[in-house]
Amino acid sequence: MGGLEGVCTEESVGGTDVWSASDAAASTADHLVVMVHGILGSTTDWKFAADQFVRMLPDKVIVHCSERNMHKLTLDGVDIMGERLAAEVLEVIDRRPEIRKISFIAHSVGGLVARYAIGRLYRLRKKPLEDLPNDTSDDNLRGTIGGLEAMNFITVATPHLGSRGNKQVPFLFGVIAIEKVASLVIHWIFRRTGRHLFLTDNDDGNPPLLQRMVDDWDDLYFMSALEAFKRRVAYSNVGYDHIVGWRTSSIRRNSELPKWEDSLSQKYPHIVYEERSKGECTNGSPIDADCDMLEEKLVTGLTRLSWERVDVSFHSSKQRFAAHSVIQVKDSFVHSEGADVIHHMIDHFLT
């Protein structure tokens, strides 16, 4: 265990916990923030953000940086990783009985893993509807995540619509032939996770996992769990992210991508567009010419719920070609220009 400038950290079998070094502040912190890294990542990927959250919200949060799926384990598939993450979160909850609330912040494929995990962790409300008083608030009707009140579900450059063609993976240059070849061979590199990302999996004849995850499926309450959170937020790079495209990370059709301008904010110089969308009716949604039917099912399914979208641009930054890592501040020295994105998360965080 160690403390540095008001922050304590402790590494254990279940990951890295970060909390305030002030006993008075730590004694009142009851909000668990689970941070999930992306493919081939590790707990250190979120070190900067974890420290910032605790320094700025010392009496509110305890941060847990997940370690159950580090490095090559991220190639085992979204479902297997999701099961591991769910088990890890339950272990943290058991270890910290003072926790009452929970939030997730996840980068890249970690956002899909977190969506799977909350589907496993979702618990229905304890009392049936008819036993609740008539003036019961909507918050009391929500289910819980591992028995905790669900607050913020935040994804950062996450391929919610998968990586299947249509310029969803920018480094493939939008060349249809290359995208088709990639979908056929991606499992050679990224194994089962690659199949999930390119929507080529069909375990036991079921639809692709990402399609199943826009509904409740058997004993996995994917959408009920997402709905339980008071906020759902998608941070996205508008460009220079060569791993995850803007459309898939912001859960939009191509025609819905907004026109953005340089930020005029000194506090958040890289936040170029923000919007709050209400949940949409599933009937009558427009279908883009370049949006295939499977992708349309994912967009339609996810946008049944409300989302906050925060669009980010590092186009004028020397670090712009590493935008996929800069938006997370994966390394506090190399990717420092993304710090305002982390501070934006903290300033809008429900505690």
Side-chain angles (χ1 to χ4, degrees):
M1 184 185 299
L4 179 64
E5 297 182 2
V7 173
C8 285
T9 61
E10 181 179 37
E11 295 184 9
S12 65
V13 176
T16 301
D17 290 346
V18 185
W19 68 95
S20 175
S22 164
D23 290 340
S27 67
T28 63
D30 65 351
H31 189 158
L32 175 64
V33 181
V34 180
M35 294 188 173
V36 188
H37 58 75
I39 204 160
L40 300 176
S42 71
T43 57
T44 60
D45 293 356
W46 278 116
K47 184 181 186 307
F48 175 82
D51 288 353
Q52 293 300 306
F53 262 82
V54 171
R55 288 192 177 107
M56 297 178 75
L57 302 171
D59 59 339
K60 303 293 185 183
V61 304
I62 298 170
V63 176
H64 176 79
C65 297
S66 171
E67 75 160 10
R68 200 59 57 85
N69 294 301
M70 293 198 301
H71 308 310
K72 289 185 178 180
L73 293 179
T74 59
L75 307 180
D76 290 344
V78 171
D79 51 354
I80 292 175
M81 287 191 286
E83 295 287 356
R84 290 183 191 136
L85 177 60
E88 179 180 354
V89 170
L90 290 177
E91 290 174 11
V92 176
I93 294 172
D94 288 343
R95 198 167 68 237
R96 292 187 172 275
E98 72 275 19
I99 296 297
R100 296 290 179 268
K101 305 172 185 176
I102 190 168
S103 292
F104 285 78
I105 304 177
H107 179 246
S108 195
V109 75
L112 301 178
V113 175
R115 280 177 48 201
Y116 186 101
I118 63 172
R120 175 63 71 196
L121 293 168
Y122 180 75
R123 304 286 183 270
L124 295 170
R125 59 179 177 269
K126 293 181 179 179
K127 292 184 178 181
L129 187 61
E130 57 269 19
D131 293 342
L132 293 170
N134 293 331
D135 60 350
T136 300
S137 68
D138 288 343
D139 287 348
N140 291 325
L141 296 178
R142 298 173 187 266
T144 67
I145 302 298
L148 304 178
E149 183 181 5
M151 302 296 288
N152 309 267
F153 190 87
I154 301 172
T155 62
V156 183
T158 288
H160 288 286
L161 310 181
S163 305
R164 167 183 161 147
N166 296 324
K167 301 181 181 180
Q168 299 288 39
V169 183
F171 79 80
L172 297 178
F173 307 111
V175 178
I176 295 176
I178 297 177
E179 291 176 341
K180 287 184 177 179
V181 170
S183 68
L184 295 175
V185 303
I186 194 66
H187 63 282
W188 294 351
I189 305 171
F190 294 116
R191 302 197 319 225
R192 199 155 182 269
T193 300
R195 292 187 184 277
H196 288 152
L197 289 174
F198 277 77
L199 307 166
T200 58
D201 59 300
N202 61 345
D203 298 341
D204 301 320
N206 288 320
L209 178 61
L210 296 193
Q211 181 180 343
R212 283 177 269 155
M213 285 171 58
V214 298
D215 285 299
D216 291 344
W217 188 274
D218 292 336
D219 59 345
L220 291 159
Y221 297 92
F222 298 123
M223 291 301 287
S224 292
L226 261 183
E227 188 175 17
F229 285 85
K230 293 184 178 180
R231 298 175 69 225
R232 288 159 296 279
V233 191
Y235 283 80
S236 310
N237 282 310
V238 304
Y240 289 100
D241 188 328
H242 302 295
I243 308 299
V244 177
W246 185 15
R247 193 166 80 245
T248 186
S249 58
S250 65
I251 319 175
R252 292 183 176 112
R253 301 171 181 88
N254 194 57
S255 62
E256 296 170 337
L257 294 174
K259 294 182 179 179
W260 57 272
E261 298 178 352
D262 288 348
S263 174
L264 298 177
S265 170
Q266 292 183 344
K267 188 173 186 180
Y268 312 123
H270 299 108
I271 305 295
V272 296
Y273 195 86
E274 296 181 68
E275 70 176 14
R276 288 177 172 81
S277 66
K278 297 181 179 179
E280 299 175 1
C281 176
T282 58
N283 296 322
S285 298
I287 300 178
D288 285 358
D290 62 349
C291 181
D292 66 26
M293 292 305 297
L294 183 49
E295 182 178 315
E296 178 61 27
K297 289 179 181 178
L298 303 185
V299 175
T300 301
L302 287 170
T303 55
R304 294 200 306 264
L305 303 178
S306 62
W307 286 87
E308 297 173 36
R309 296 182 176 93
V310 183
D311 298 314
V312 178
S313 176
F314 298 104
H315 69 284
S316 60
S317 167
K318 293 180 180 179
Q319 304 169 353
R320 60 185 178 275
F321 293 106
H324 191 66
S325 296
V326 176
I327 195 174
Q328 178 195 19
V329 193
K330 188 173 184 178
D331 183 287
S332 60
F333 178 73
V334 178
H335 307 127
S336 59
E337 288 202 43
D340 63 307
V341 179
I342 302 301
H343 293 148
H344 184 276
M345 288 182 202
I346 297 170
D347 291 344
H348 294 80
F349 198 74
L350 290 181
T351 59

